[in-house]
């Protein structure tokens, strides 16, 4: 008997763990965990970013999403070039994990935007979908993205995700596992990023809280 697919939208949450509120490196991964220090203090505007990979090239892999999956990122232009780079690479990190799950990108892209425990956890999360024979579909919106810089090579980023229109899907039959919208359709994230020698802001830690009050519509 096949394993049931992961709960709807835990794929798009991409908390890089096996529970609804998981940790991508450091900490316990329990729901209600304290935010990463410094996260959620400064931010940018509300303009939505395109879902296409922004700067594909020799040092930045091209990430394509399947036609039935849309990921929208608001607040991509803060007016600060460094913060904008953090926002862009964090968005690509989220897109990369879902593209690997969907089979539209090689697993190697995970290592471009993740490192350390976050990379291990992201690979494990992709593996859970492979075991379940599941993929992802629908729409997810990321908003209230706020960056705090910690020197020249570190930053914290908090953001919300609206996953009310995103679902898991059986990879073989195409059957979509839809769930009703509830407070748990909205997720709050705290993440830690570090700039590597190649100039990419890699996620080293990501913690999520499903049903968080600050993300409710």
């Amino acid at each position: 008997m096949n394993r049931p697919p992961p709960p709807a939208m835990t794929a798009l949450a991409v908390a890089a763990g096996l529970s609804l509120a998981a940790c991508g490196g450091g900490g316990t991964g329990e729901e209600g965990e304290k935010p990463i220090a410094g996260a959620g203090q400064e931010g940018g505007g509300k303009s939505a970013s395109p879902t296409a990979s922004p700067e594909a090239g020799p040092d930045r892999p091209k990430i394509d999403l399947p036609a039935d999956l849309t990921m929208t990122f608001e607040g991509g232009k803060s007016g600060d070039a460094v913060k904008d780079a953090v926002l862009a690479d964090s968005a690509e990190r989220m897109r990369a994990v879902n593209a690997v799950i969907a089979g539209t990108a090689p697993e190697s892209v995970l290592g471009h935007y993740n490192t350390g425990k976050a990379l291990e956890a992201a690979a494990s999360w992709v593996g859970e979908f492979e075991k379940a024979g599941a993929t992802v579909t629908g729409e997810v919106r990321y908003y209230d993205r706020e960056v705090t810089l910690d020197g020249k090579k570190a930053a914290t980023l908090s953001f919300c995700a609206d996953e009310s229109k995103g679902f898991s899907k059986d990879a073989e039959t195409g059957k979509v596992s839809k769930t009703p919208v509830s407070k748990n359709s909205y997720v709050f994230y705290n993440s830690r990023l570090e700039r590597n020698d190649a100039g990419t802001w890699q996620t080293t830690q990501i913690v999520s809280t499903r049903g968080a009050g600050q993300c409710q519509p």
Side-chain angles (χ1 to χ4, degrees), residues 33-109:
E33 182 173 347
K34 292 181 181 179
I36 299 169
Q41 296 179 5
E42 299 179 63
K46 296 289 185 179
S47 61
S49 298
T51 56
S53 185
E55 297 179 28
D59 299 320
R60 184 174 294 273
K62 180 175 174 58
I63 298 173
D64 292 317
L65 296 175
D68 63 343
L69 177 61
T70 300
M71 300 174 69
T72 302
F73 298 86
E74 297 181 352
K77 298 295 182 183
S78 68
D80 182 291
V82 178
K83 289 183 181 180
D84 289 354
V86 173
L87 290 167
D89 284 344
S90 172
E92 287 301 275
R93 184 265 176 195
M94 304 298 280
R95 295 177 74 255
V97 177
N98 283 319
V100 174
I101 290 172
T104 56
E107 192 165 341
S108 60
V109 302

Side-chain angles (χ1 to χ4, degrees), residues 49-189:
S49 298
T51 56
S53 185
E55 297 179 28
D59 299 320
R60 184 174 294 273
K62 180 175 174 58
I63 298 173
D64 292 317
L65 296 175
D68 63 343
L69 177 61
T70 300
M71 300 174 69
T72 302
F73 298 86
E74 297 181 352
K77 298 295 182 183
S78 68
D80 182 291
V82 178
K83 289 183 181 180
D84 289 354
V86 173
L87 290 167
D89 284 344
S90 172
E92 287 301 275
R93 184 265 176 195
M94 304 298 280
R95 295 177 74 255
V97 177
N98 283 319
V100 174
I101 290 172
T104 56
E107 192 165 341
S108 60
V109 302
L110 297 179
H112 192 89
Y113 294 105
N114 297 271
T115 190
K117 294 295 185 180
L119 176 57
E120 294 174 11
S124 176
W125 191 232
V126 169
E128 286 299 305
F129 278 83
E130 292 177 350
K131 292 176 184 177
T135 184
V136 289
T137 188
E139 302 175 19
V140 64
R141 178 176 65 93
Y142 299 92
Y143 54 102
D144 290 347
R145 300 196 296 153
E146 301 180 345
V147 180
T148 299
L149 300 178
D150 182 10
K152 296 181 178 180
K153 291 190 174 183
T156 53
L157 170 64
S158 67
F159 57 97
C160 291
D162 174 358
E163 303 176 348
S164 60
K165 297 180 181 179
F167 309 98
S168 62
K169 180 177 72 171
D170 188 290
E172 183 176 351
T173 67
K175 182 178 179 180
V176 178
S177 298
K178 291 190 175 182
T179 56
V181 178
S182 71
K183 70 175 185 179
N184 288 331
S185 301
Y186 303 90
V187 186
F188 179 72
Y189 289 89

